[in-house]
Amino acid sequence: MNTTQTVPPTDVAPAPATGPAASAAGPGARAWWVLGVLCFVYVLNFLDRQLLSILAKPIQDDLHISDGQLGLITGLYFALFYTLIALPVGWFADKTNRVKVLSFACFIWSAATIACGLSRTFPQLVAARMTVGVGEAGGVPPSYAIISDYFPSGTRGRALGIYNMGPPIGMAMGVAFGASIADAYSWRDAFVSVGVIGVLVALVVFFFVREPKRGGLDIKKDEAPAPASTVPAEGFWSTCRMFFNRPVLLLISLGSGATQFVTYAVLNFTTLFLMREKGMTLSEVAVYYALLIGICVSAGMYASGRLVDWLGKRSKTAYAYVPAVGLTLAVPFFAGFVWAPSWPLALAFLAIPTGLNYFYLSPAVALVQEEVKPNQRVLSGALLLLVMNLIGLGFGPTYLGMASDFFRVSHPDNSLQLAFYTLIPFYFLAVALFLGLARALRREAAEAEGAV
């Protein structure tokens, strides 16, 4: 049963960029400033998350861990905490101040990143890594909802596309910054430096980002706005049932999860693959791979966000066809990357799928935020992350690391290459799920028209 919860006035500050009038006029300067701050938090979120895979080789040399152990610590161990903690955090954030939840989460994962750099044994690194996952669970879902309450429908695809450039920027900065520090000093110094920056940014979010009014930009012109002090509180389980009972939301989550199975597996092992089997040095990784990640993934995120804003006005099936077409085009180039006998040729092939692999994320986030009630957005975003990260982040790197250990017995010099080839069928699984999503979207549209 739904209830009404009174929110303290301090939790809802008047934001110039929100309200029906702002919806008609478009997002204001404050909305873009908040988007920039949240994007930088996401940069740190992903930078902290990816440092371990970027610095995999020096960490392996220091702590003597296998590819399988690396896959577990960057995959399943991290994902279990990251995805499961995100649900209660999302539910709590839907009922309270989302900005404060975000700032506290940023502080936790940044402090845990410092602990990763201070770890002296594999179990210590596992514990610190899991704590990073706990903190990062409160990062993305509140940000999705905050952005959706600063930007009106029709501009959210672009705004979320810009926000989702945080991962590629974080990846690129992690490769360039982390690899450079590790090359000049040590991998431990890279973790400590990034963690200290995150603690400072958490304070900026807490003191300088305003909490927007929930659903303020979703009110139609002929409707009177609801009082800002009241927010209808949706139940935790009712939101979960709604999410998993709707084929559209379930299919976008499964399609994204299958895609992330590939993207996280590739992301978490590419640096190690390039260094160990393609002959790159850490200093070369810091320049060339950093540029590739920063440019290509950012282009994919932004282009897909703009495409769904444009094509989605004609048909919601764009949310399915944009990622399906992107993944289909990526397959031959990905195979070329794995096959390439030298790292320059490998990077040339990798540039194309690095952009196309990320055509799924902006459409997925935008569709979920459009399809649920304003006071269900954080938890629904957390449920989306639960499905796609448990499948992708949890099992992608874990699978690839174990596959590499398996092939190393018979092919010690190119075990990762063989393991990478086995990811190709997962591309086609993801495409099939997105095509199923397109059918579900057409069916919902037909039912809506029949009900009019």
Side-chain angles (χ1 to χ4, degrees):
M1 179 182 295
N2 294 345
T3 59
T4 300
Q5 178 174 313
T6 302
V7 178
T10 55
D11 277 359
V12 184
T18 59
S23 180
R30 176 171 292 277
W32 291 108
W33 182 84
V34 169
L35 179 61
V37 173
L38 297 187
C39 186
F40 187 69
V41 173
Y42 202 7
V43 167
L44 291 175
N45 180 302
F46 224 84
L47 198 163
D48 291 4
R49 187 186 312 178
Q50 292 304 126
L51 265 184
L52 194 61
S53 57
I54 291 164
L55 302 177
K57 195 171 188 308
I59 292 172
Q60 279 189 325
D61 294 342
D62 190 358
L63 300 183
H64 309 291
I65 61 178
S66 68
D67 287 355
Q69 288 176 310
L70 182 65
L72 284 169
I73 196 173
T74 59
L76 187 60
Y77 292 164
F78 178 88
L80 284 175
F81 280 79
Y82 177 66
T83 56
L84 296 179
I85 296 296
L87 292 182
V89 169
W91 176 75
F92 179 73
D94 267 331
K95 293 175 172 290
T96 58
N97 189 299
R98 297 163 293 183
V99 171
K100 291 180 180 178
V101 169
L102 174 63
S103 63
F104 185 62
C106 182
F107 179 86
I108 292 176
W109 85 59
S110 300
T113 299
I114 296 174
C116 287
L118 301 177
S119 300
R120 297 292 172 182
T121 65
F122 179 66
Q124 289 176 355
L125 186 60
V126 169
R129 180 70 174 172
M130 288 179 172
T131 307
V132 172
V134 170
E136 292 191 0
V140 179
S143 297
Y144 285 161
I146 292 168
I147 291 169
S148 295
D149 282 334
Y150 268 102
F151 288 82
S153 179
T155 67
R156 287 173 185 152
R158 178 176 52 163
L160 290 166
I162 293 172
Y163 174 72
N164 284 326
M165 288 170 66
I169 297 171
M171 286 182 248
M173 289 181 62
V175 174
F177 182 71
S180 297
I181 291 181
D183 190 44
Y185 301 99
S186 76
W187 65 268
R188 299 180 186 280
D189 293 324
F191 278 91
V192 173
S193 301
V194 171
V196 169
I197 294 171
V199 169
L200 297 176
V201 172
L203 296 176
V204 171
V205 173
F206 186 87
F207 289 108
F208 296 104
V209 175
R210 293 184 183 181
E211 171 77 0
K213 177 186 167 188
R214 285 172 171 81
L217 301 183
D218 297 314
I219 301 171
K220 297 177 182 178
K221 294 181 179 179
D222 57 348
E223 291 179 343
S229 60
T230 60
V231 178
E234 291 288 342
F236 178 88
W237 292 113
S238 64
T239 300
C240 291
R241 284 192 297 271
M242 175 279 301
F243 189 93
F244 290 110
N245 284 334
R246 286 196 59 188
V248 164
L249 299 179
L250 183 59
L251 283 168
I252 192 69
S253 302
L254 291 175
S256 299
T259 306
Q260 282 199 348
F261 190 96
V262 176
T263 59
Y264 271 116
V266 172
L267 185 62
N268 285 13
F269 278 93
T270 292
T271 301
L272 185 61
F273 179 49
L274 290 170
M275 293 181 66
R276 196 168 72 193
E277 298 187 16
K278 303 295 185 183
M280 284 190 85
T281 64
L282 198 57
S283 59
E284 289 169 338
V285 167
V287 176
Y288 301 108
Y289 183 52
L291 286 172
L292 183 146
I293 286 289
I295 294 171
C296 296
V297 180
S298 297
M301 295 280 196
Y302 185 72
S304 60
R306 293 303 298 268
L307 278 172
V308 295
D309 272 348
W310 177 49
L311 298 174
K313 295 174 182 177
R314 305 176 185 180
S315 171
K316 277 193 175 182
T317 57
Y319 291 94
Y321 285 130
V322 167
V325 171
L327 291 171
T328 302
L329 294 174
V331 172
F333 295 97
F334 176 75
F337 154 68
V338 180
W339 160 84
S342 64
W343 70 260
L345 183 59
L347 287 183
F349 275 115
L350 182 60
I352 303 300
T354 296
L356 294 174
N357 282 354
Y358 290 89
F359 266 39
Y360 77 96
L361 188 54
S362 295
V365 174
L367 181 63
V368 170
Q369 296 295 304
E370 292 277 355
E371 292 293 308
V372 302
K373 299 176 183 177
N375 56 355
Q376 293 178 311
R377 281 178 175 152
V378 181
L379 181 53
S380 295
L383 289 167
L384 171 67
L385 294 176
L386 169 70
V387 176
M388 67 184 190
N389 284 328
L390 192 57
I391 295 172
L393 178 58
F395 294 106
T398 304
Y399 163 81
L400 193 65
M402 290 182 174
S404 179
D405 281 352
F406 173 80
F407 288 121
R408 179 167 289 189
V409 177
S410 56
H411 297 80
D413 296 329
N414 65 330
S415 61
L416 267 175
Q417 181 185 44
L418 296 176
F420 269 97
Y421 276 127
T422 66
L423 293 174
I424 292 176
F426 293 97
Y427 271 102
F428 296 111
L429 174 61
V431 170
L433 288 166
F434 282 119
L435 293 178
L437 171 64
R439 288 193 295 271
L441 287 166
R442 285 196 298 270
R443 186 164 54 249
E444 277 200 359
E447 291 173 354
E449 288 179 4
V452 175

